[in-house]
Amino acid sequence: MTEINLNSRLKKRTVYVFLVRTNSFFSRIIALFTKTKYTHASIGFDSHCESLYSFARLNTGTPIPAGFVRESTNTGLLSLSPNAPCAVYKLRVTEQAYEDIHSRLEEMYMDKEHYGYNYLGPICCFLGIPLTIKNKYFCSQFVAELLEKNHAVSLSKPASLYHPRDLEKLPGFELVFEGKLSELTHNQNNVCPLDDYNPVHHAYHYHRM
């Protein structure tokens, strides 16, 4: 048992954080006020970004209602924004942190009706006012808190004050892709989803580490 626990602390796995700025009205408003390149953040376990977890709109056509979602770059709102700028970051975490993050996301998705969107959160974040509401999040707040609570990162401020741009600056984040969403989805077949994935050996769109 001791050996298993030790291995779970030493072995490294990879989680991926996906950042994007779609052409939706809400996204354009956020970008206007924050002057930031990306307005939405998701987290997943493969560099393809085919299965991502976040807090976002529940229906493609309208920003409300919003809540906890499982999204993909190939479907929904993301599929309607092929020219959207996006980036993919990888973060190496312990085996235990990986399993804990995975379990937490699955639990939340199974119980997704009990979670809602923190509509005031982005406004308060812009103003520098931390706002926490039980079971309610906005996208980057959710990603930041999930990573911190599962010992994958250390935050320098409350999770509710994290913009998508702040996630890029977290220690351990490594850029694997930056470009248009259509370039990411076009090259999915050329990307290895394994933990030892090296973007240097794949499509030129991927960041050379």
Side-chain angles (χ1 to χ4, degrees):
M1 182 65 69
T2 302
E3 183 178 355
I4 294 175
N5 290 335
L6 179 60
N7 287 338
S8 70
R9 290 195 298 269
L10 297 180
K11 184 179 178 181
K12 294 291 185 177
R13 301 287 295 276
T14 305
V15 297
Y16 294 88
V17 172
F18 172 76
L19 304 179
V20 67
R21 187 186 76 234
T22 67
N23 197 39
S24 70
F25 175 76
F26 189 55
S27 179
R28 293 199 303 270
I29 291 297
I30 293 176
L32 176 65
F33 281 97
T34 61
K35 307 298 182 184
T36 187
K37 189 172 184 178
Y38 304 115
T39 58
H40 180 65
S42 306
I43 189 168
F45 301 100
D46 69 276
S47 56
H48 299 173
C49 296
E50 292 181 332
S51 182
L52 298 161
Y53 295 85
S54 189
F55 277 77
R57 61 178 67 193
L58 298 179
N59 303 311
T60 301
T62 59
I64 297 174
F68 187 61
V69 299
R70 186 157 56 191
E71 57 187 0
S72 169
T73 54
N74 295 313
T75 60
L77 181 65
L78 294 178
S79 68
L80 301 178
S81 304
N83 293 319
C86 67
V88 180
Y89 286 83
K90 72 176 182 179
L91 176 66
R92 300 286 283 176
V93 302
T94 65
E95 176 81 11
Q96 186 63 61
Y98 182 94
E99 294 298 335
D100 290 343
I101 291 170
H102 190 280
S103 296
R104 178 58 178 159
L105 289 172
E106 289 298 314
E107 289 171 3
M108 290 181 68
Y109 191 73
M110 291 292 292
D111 202 27
K112 59 182 180 294
E113 293 81 8
H114 290 85
Y115 294 92
Y117 195 85
N118 182 0
Y119 292 103
L120 291 177
I123 299 173
C124 291
C125 183
F126 173 72
L127 296 174
I129 304 171
L131 175 65
T132 302
I133 305 174
K134 184 178 180 181
N135 292 341
K136 295 184 184 296
Y137 299 88
F138 60 93
C139 62
S140 50
Q141 172 194 10
F142 161 69
V143 173
E145 182 176 301
L146 178 72
L147 292 174
E148 182 184 46
K149 285 195 171 182
N150 290 285
H151 311 292
V153 299
S154 295
L155 302 182
S156 60
K157 56 185 177 181
S160 60
L161 291 182
Y162 272 78
H163 296 275
R165 67 183 178 214
D166 296 322
L167 298 175
E168 301 176 90
K169 303 171 186 176
L170 287 173
F173 271 49
E174 297 180 53
L175 182 65
V176 250
F177 171 86
E178 189 167 34
K180 293 181 180 180
L181 188 53
S182 59
E183 295 170 338
L184 174 64
T185 55
H186 176 73
N187 285 285
Q188 283 178 349
N189 291 333
N190 297 321
V191 182
C192 174
L194 300 178
D195 285 347
D196 59 354
Y197 160 69
N198 185 345
V200 175
H201 298 146
H202 294 276
Y204 75 91
H205 295 292
Y206 283 76
H207 182 73
R208 284 155 174 76
M209 307 292 282

